[in-house]
């Protein structure tokens, strides 16, 4: 099955219907994985080898506005600036939109506003694709379920399947070849005291895409064979830690999940390293503070930036050690 066939399966008759509205808009939060998605069982459909678990970052994310235009080409505007439609960013976006408008040659003005750094390992593609799918749903008036929105967002970027929901989200890996059972679902627990600190050390675009890095890791890392078992174990521990509000257990498991993922990448060939010196300084500071009794942990994705995990009561202390950190309380 390819992407177009899966879109047809979900939209059915609706794939031939013209937009009901002249515009559609939606916001999707970015999400940070506490148990990472790393490795695909199907490249075309972004089907993962393992499940994963994330937290959505409240009002941090992307807003997509789609409007029908009379032009002969699409117009893409990112954070207020027109983007060259020949850029790799535009090509990826247009290719994704084309999945949904094969029958009708609609041209769109696509305005995306993101309040997080683009492509710096802060899951900008996740909230970008999720917001586009939700905006398309509004434009065409498809009335898709969150599960269907999640599956469609996944075709743009795997982690986008989790950005359909606020709060904690589990992405079921699924077993089916068509991926209809691989989608994000809300994990209905709230933890108002939970804080995420965004420690942006570098907001340059990453040099190796997560798609390429995942594939290379799966193909060449001797450590990758240990990854699926680690994920299955961490998934259960993280859910239990959330239910029992055991912050130290949650933090430890999330941090160790991230460091294990990065170890599989470093052992790939050619090696993949997303850290810069400031990333390591941030890690060392986190470990030092923990030794002094402060309950703080980090996680890291496909970029140099760290996300700190801590509780509200330690906010001021965290700020005194990391003055540039941006704090998000996803449940407040
Ligand atoms: O969704 P992608 O293809 O950008 O991959 C995301 C990979 C990580 O951010 C490193 C992990 C995750 O689960 O979000």
């Amino acid at each position: 099955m390819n992407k177009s066939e899966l879109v047809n399966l979900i939209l059915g008759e609706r794939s031939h219907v013209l937009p009901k509205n002249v515009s559609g808009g939606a916001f999707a939060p970015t999400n940070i994985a506490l148990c990472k998605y790393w490795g695909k069982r199907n490249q075309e459909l972004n089907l993962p080898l393992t499940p994963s678990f994330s937290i959505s970052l409240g009002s941090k994310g992307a807003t997509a506005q789609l409007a029908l235009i009379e032009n002969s080409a699409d117009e893409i505007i990112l954070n207020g600036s027109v983007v060259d439609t020949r850029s790799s960013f535009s090509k990826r976006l247009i290719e994704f939109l084309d999945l949904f408008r094969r029958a009708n040659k609609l041209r769109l003005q696509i305005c995306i506003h993101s309040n997080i750094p683009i492509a710096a390992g802060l899951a900008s593609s996740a909230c970008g694709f999720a917001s586009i799918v939700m905006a398309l749903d509004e434009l065409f008036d498809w009335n898709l379920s969150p599960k269907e929105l999640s599956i469609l967002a996944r075709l743009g970027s795997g982690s986008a399947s989790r950005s359909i929901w606020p709060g904690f989200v589990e992405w079921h890996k699924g077993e089916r070849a068509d991926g209809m059972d691989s989608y994000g679902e809300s994990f209905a627990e709230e933890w108002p005291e939970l804080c995420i600190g965004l420690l942006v050390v570098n907001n340059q675009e990453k040099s190796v895409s997560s798609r390429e890095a995942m594939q290379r890791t799966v193909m060449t890392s001797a450590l990758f064979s240990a990854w699926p078992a680690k994920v299955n174990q961490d998934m259960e521990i993280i859910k239990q830690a959330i239910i029992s509000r055991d912050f130290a257990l949650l933090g430890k498991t999330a941090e160790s999940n991230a460091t294990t993922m990065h170890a599989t990448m470093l052992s790939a060939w050619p090696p993949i390293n997303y850290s810069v010196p400031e990333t390591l300084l941030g890690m060392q500071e986190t470990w030092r503070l923990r030794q002094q009794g402060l309950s703080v942990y980090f996680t890291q994705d496909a970029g140099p930036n760290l996300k700190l995990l801590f509780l509200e009561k330690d906010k001021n202390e965290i700020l005194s050690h990391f003055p540039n950190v941006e704090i998000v309380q996803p449940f407040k």
Side-chain angles (χ1 to χ4, degrees), residues 1 6 9 41 45 47 151 154 175-181:
M1 167 148 320
L6 184 55
L9 188 65
R41 65 182 163 92
L45 300 178
L47 293 175
I151 293 173
R154 193 195 72 218
E175 304 289 340
R176 290 174 55 140
D178 64 8
M180 285 299 287
D181 54 355

Side-chain angles (χ1 to χ4, degrees), residues 33 35-38 40 125 157-159 162 210 214 261 301-302:
C35 183
K36 309 292 184 190
Y37 147 57
W38 199 250
K40 301 179 206 261
S125 64
S157 158
S159 53
R162 300 184 306 236
S210 45
M214 269 184 218
M261 175 184 76
D301 292 289

Side-chain angles (χ1 to χ4, degrees), residues 10 31 37 45-48 50-56 130 145-155 157-174 179-188 235:
I10 291 177
N31 75 79
Y37 147 57
L45 300 178
N46 287 336
L47 293 175
T50 62
S52 57
F53 193 95
S54 62
I55 173 118
S56 288
S145 66
K147 174 178 165 180
E148 291 168 321
L149 291 170
S150 172
I151 293 173
L152 294 178
R154 193 195 72 218
L155 299 179
S157 158
S159 53
S161 66
R162 300 184 306 236
S163 270
I164 298 297
W165 300 95
F168 294 118
V169 180
E170 176 173 3
W171 175 8
H172 303 287
K173 87 176 175 77
M180 285 299 287
D181 54 355
S182 182
Y183 57 94
E185 189 173 37
S186 172
F187 183 74
M235 286 294 292

Side-chain angles (χ1 to χ4, degrees), residues 103-123:
N104 30 50
K105 289 261 172 290
L106 307 166
R107 290 296 152 234
L108 293 166
Q109 183 192 61
I110 306 128
C111 289
I112 301 178
H113 190 267
S114 159
N115 57 11
I116 50 162
I118 301 285
L122 283 174

Side-chain angles (χ1 to χ4, degrees), residues 37-93:
Y37 147 57
W38 199 250
K40 301 179 206 261
R41 65 182 163 92
N42 179 318
Q43 298 284 326
E44 163 84 9
L45 300 178
N46 287 336
L47 293 175
L49 279 163
T50 62
S52 57
F53 193 95
S54 62
I55 173 118
S56 288
L57 296 191
S59 60
K60 286 257 162 222
T63 303
Q65 287 288 345
L66 304 176
L68 296 175
I69 50 173
E70 299 289 328
N71 296 11
S72 57
D74 293 320
E75 188 179 301
I76 301 176
I77 299 166
L78 177 62
N79 290 342
S81 306
V82 176
V83 184
D84 188 337
T85 44
R86 290 162 304 181
S87 69
S88 57
F89 172 87
S90 302
K91 279 188 186 147
R92 189 168 167 202
L93 184 55

Side-chain angles (χ1 to χ4, degrees), residues 30-293:
T30 191
N31 75 79
I32 303 297
L34 300 172
C35 183
K36 309 292 184 190
Y37 147 57
W38 199 250
K40 301 179 206 261
R41 65 182 163 92
N42 179 318
Q43 298 284 326
E44 163 84 9
L45 300 178
N46 287 336
L47 293 175
L49 279 163
T50 62
S52 57
F53 193 95
S54 62
I55 173 118
S56 288
L57 296 191
S59 60
K60 286 257 162 222
T63 303
Q65 287 288 345
L66 304 176
L68 296 175
I69 50 173
E70 299 289 328
N71 296 11
S72 57
D74 293 320
E75 188 179 301
I76 301 176
I77 299 166
L78 177 62
N79 290 342
S81 306
V82 176
V83 184
D84 188 337
T85 44
R86 290 162 304 181
S87 69
S88 57
F89 172 87
S90 302
K91 279 188 186 147
R92 189 168 167 202
L93 184 55
I94 290 170
E95 203 179 296
F96 183 69
L97 286 166
D98 285 347
L99 289 171
F100 304 96
R101 52 177 182 181
R102 274 157 301 146
N104 30 50
K105 289 261 172 290
L106 307 166
R107 290 296 152 234
L108 293 166
Q109 183 192 61
I110 306 128
C111 289
I112 301 178
H113 190 267
S114 159
N115 57 11
I116 50 162
I118 301 285
L122 283 174
S124 52
S125 64
C127 55
F129 284 112
S131 64
I132 292 276
V133 166
M134 289 156 83
L136 282 167
D137 185 53
E138 203 181 283
L139 179 74
F140 285 91
D141 209 28
W142 289 326
N143 282 310
L144 295 171
S145 66
K147 174 178 165 180
E148 291 168 321
L149 291 170
S150 172
I151 293 173
L152 294 178
R154 193 195 72 218
L155 299 179
S157 158
S159 53
S161 66
R162 300 184 306 236
S163 270
I164 298 297
W165 300 95
F168 294 118
V169 180
E170 176 173 3
W171 175 8
H172 303 287
K173 87 176 175 77
E175 304 289 340
R176 290 174 55 140
D178 64 8
M180 285 299 287
D181 54 355
S182 182
Y183 57 94
E185 189 173 37
S186 172
F187 183 74
E189 286 284 332
E190 301 217 342
W191 197 337
E193 299 80 20
L194 189 68
C195 294
I196 311 284
L198 304 178
L199 201 59
V200 176
V201 299
N202 182 321
N203 62 8
Q204 297 300 302
E205 287 213 18
K206 54 193 167 197
S207 54
V208 187
S209 69
S210 45
R211 165 170 289 271
E212 154 68 17
M214 269 184 218
Q215 181 65 351
R216 199 190 297 174
T217 307
V218 174
M219 302 300 283
T220 66
S221 164
L223 302 187
F224 190 77
S225 57
W227 176 246
K230 165 79 178 156
V231 169
N232 289 334
Q233 198 178 34
D234 288 351
M235 286 294 292
E236 290 317 306
I237 300 174
I238 284 173
K239 285 191 255 180
Q240 264 319 312
I242 291 169
I243 290 168
S244 56
R245 299 289 186 275
D246 185 340
F247 178 70
L249 184 61
L250 175 72
K252 175 184 160 197
T253 314
E255 184 175 307
S256 128
N257 186 273
T259 52
T260 306
M261 175 184 76
H262 285 277
T264 68
M265 288 185 224
L266 199 58
S267 58
W269 197 264
I272 301 151
N273 167 40
Y274 284 116
S275 298
V276 294
E278 291 79 9
T279 315
L280 296 179
L281 290 174
M283 289 179 181
Q284 281 168 338
E285 182 65 354
T286 308
W287 294 327
R288 191 184 68 81
L289 292 170
R290 218 154 61 215
Q291 252 177 356
Q292 289 183 356

